[in-house]
Each structure stands twice: as structure tokens, then as C-alpha cells.
Amino acid sequence: MTAARRAALRAALVEAGRGKPVAPYTLDEAMTFFCPQENVEGLDLPLVRDFQGWVREEHEPSTEGDRAILLLLPCQPRKPYALAPEHLAINGALLAAGFAPTGRGDWPKQLDTDVAPELRSNAPLLRDGLRIDRAVISEPFGLVPYEAIYHWHGVLSPCARYDDPGLFEHRGLGAPWREDSTSVARADGTHRWGDAERAAYVEAHNRLATEIAAALERLASHYDAIVSYTTTTLTHRSFLADHAGRRAVRLPNARTAGGVHRRLVGVNDLVPGLVEILPAPADLDALRAASGRRLPQELLSDPLLLDRLVARVDALAAA
């Protein structure tokens, strides 16, 4: 493959990524990561390191309410995250259950959306003294408090200006534009990862899990519970789960690269029991039974699972 062809492949991915942020947010080309190797490099970018350091060492949650839950949600292609369909469904279910934002939040006035203000708000949610803080599990930022989804340090947040599908092998991107690529082209034009991609995936995965664990461990004293609501097939759940948790939903616990078995490590491996991970396997079994043994593509927006999420929040509130 010629250098020009390699450059064109990546340029096409960047161009596709431009449609993901909602105005006034625009894609920062320096914050695009389309393969595992780029994810590893991205973790060392000054902007990413500065943001992670802020979350790990400086961010302080609200003090409103008598009790608090931290709800971890997956990152989304559409940004800012609150405007993405899954987040709208999740936040809508919480609002329907009686929670309400404690304020407007800080979404920019020029935000190009007709989403209702209460769904746009990135302020904490409150009901009868129970506060829900929301945060996003993100590649490459790690943990993104909802307070930082619109602005950070007085400017439009970098967490709404990136594109990172590079750790999702099933999308078939490979890394054919890179000199260090070992990905293999398939007949349909997609690519299968090779040793370099698998090794970089493990490095990026474990570095992000370690970063998220450090942030959550510091913040844990502010919360009665830390609960995640993430799909079963993507990295967000893998970053959080321990060995048994990944095995329960058939996520891999290791990858082999260069003949070496490389173990994946999650938050609950590093700090056992820190995060309660939903949907639980029993919830998934119930949904399979209700849907003819097949899980829906838009898993986290499913009414049954949203009901189970709200029920778990209610149980924590009553405990």
C-alpha cells in the first residue's frame, strides 16, 4: 500500500468523525484514535494527561443531598455525551423516576439541539435527599465527570471534541495506514488485528483501567455506592470488571500477542468490589427470555434494563 493510500484511509476516518460533535463543538484532529497503537500514544498526550491528573487529584463532587451514588455511563460517538441516544434514554428514565437536575448545568447557549433543558443539564440529579452524580468511562480520558462534558477549565471541553473507535476490534479498522501495522485485510475490506494491535490493546486497556481505578478509589468516600451501567460487549465494561465479571458476560480476560498471553486488568481486579456493574447477568438472562434469546442492539436503552437500573437505585436509596 502506498503512503498516499495509507494517508487517504486515515483522512477518511477523520472526515467521518467530523460529524460526531454537535455544534459549537468541532473535532480536534489531534484527538482522533483509530487503532490500539494510537490509543497508547494518546494516553501520553499532554491534554489527556492533564485531564486525567485533574480527575485523579483535584475534582471534587457536589455536597448536595444526604446520600450519593456515582453512576458510570459509557462514552458515545455523539458528543457532548448527554445528547447521545443512550444517555438520553438513561437520563430520561431517571427523570421519570422522580430525579431532577439541581441546576441548569453549563451547556453553551449556542448548543445546536432541541433536547429538553432538563436532559441537557449536566448538574447532579437529586430526589428526596439522594444525589446521583454521573461520569463517563472514556477512551482516552478514562473517567469524565459529567461536570466536564461541556466545559473544562473555562473552555469547550476536549471530552466533546475527540473520536476514538480504535479499541473496538469488531469494527474492522485495523491500522493499515501505519508502518507498524500488523493488521490483516479481509476480502470485505475490513481488517483483523495482528500482534501489534493486540499488544497495544492490552497496554491501553490496562493503563486506562489503572487510571480509572485510581480516580474512583479517591472519590469513593463521597459515595454510598458506585454503579456502572454499560453494555456487555465493549471496553467500558471490561475496564471496570474483574476476571469473573468479564467471564460472566463472555468478555476476554487476556489477549495473545507475539506468543505471549497478556492478561487484561479491570478496576474490580485492582480494587475488589469497588464498582457494582449493571446490567447484571440475571437482568441479561431476563431480557433474553423476553426477547427470544437475543439481546437488542440498543441494549442500554431497553425498557426492561432501564427499569432494573431504576429499581437498583431505589433499593440503594432505601438501604
Side-chain angles (χ1 to χ4, degrees), residues 159-319:
C159 303
R161 302 190 60 213
Y162 72 96
D163 191 22
D164 188 356
L167 293 182
F168 303 144
E169 184 177 11
H170 67 280
R171 297 188 182 178
L173 295 181
W177 56 88
R178 291 179 61 99
E179 294 290 348
D180 63 354
S181 171
T182 57
S183 57
V184 178
R186 300 187 180 101
D188 63 0
T190 63
H191 287 77
R192 175 175 54 82
W193 285 357
D195 282 345
E197 289 74 36
R198 289 191 293 270
Y201 173 83
V202 173
E203 180 179 350
H205 179 288
N206 291 353
R207 286 178 63 180
L208 279 164
T210 300
E211 187 66 41
I212 295 166
L216 291 178
E217 192 170 23
R218 181 182 71 85
L219 294 169
S221 62
H222 295 273
Y223 297 104
D224 296 276
I226 300 175
V227 177
S228 74
Y229 186 67
T230 53
T231 191
T232 60
T233 57
L234 298 180
T235 52
H236 315 112
R237 193 175 185 111
S238 186
F239 293 152
L240 298 172
D242 59 11
H243 183 98
R246 283 187 293 275
R247 185 175 58 195
V249 293
R250 299 181 181 178
L251 283 171
N253 272 304
R255 303 301 297 267
T256 299
V260 177
H261 194 64
R262 303 169 191 249
R263 180 171 174 260
L264 296 171
V265 175
V267 169
N268 281 352
D269 289 307
L270 298 167
V271 189
L274 183 61
V275 180
E276 178 181 348
I277 299 177
L278 301 177
D283 298 332
L284 298 171
D285 289 342
L287 183 56
R288 287 189 186 95
S291 60
R293 307 299 297 175
R294 299 184 67 179
L295 294 177
Q297 186 173 2
E298 302 300 327
L299 183 68
L300 299 183
S301 301
D302 185 87
L304 186 151
L305 294 184
L306 288 171
D307 286 347
R308 296 289 179 98
L309 171 63
V310 171
R312 183 58 186 142
V313 170
D314 289 342
L316 289 168

Side-chain angles (χ1 to χ4, degrees), residues 61-64 67-69 124-126 129-133 222-223:
S62 167
T63 57
E64 296 173 276
R67 304 180 64 196
I69 295 169
L125 303 176
L126 193 65
L130 176 66
R131 188 183 82 246
I132 296 179
D133 290 341
H222 295 273
Y223 297 104

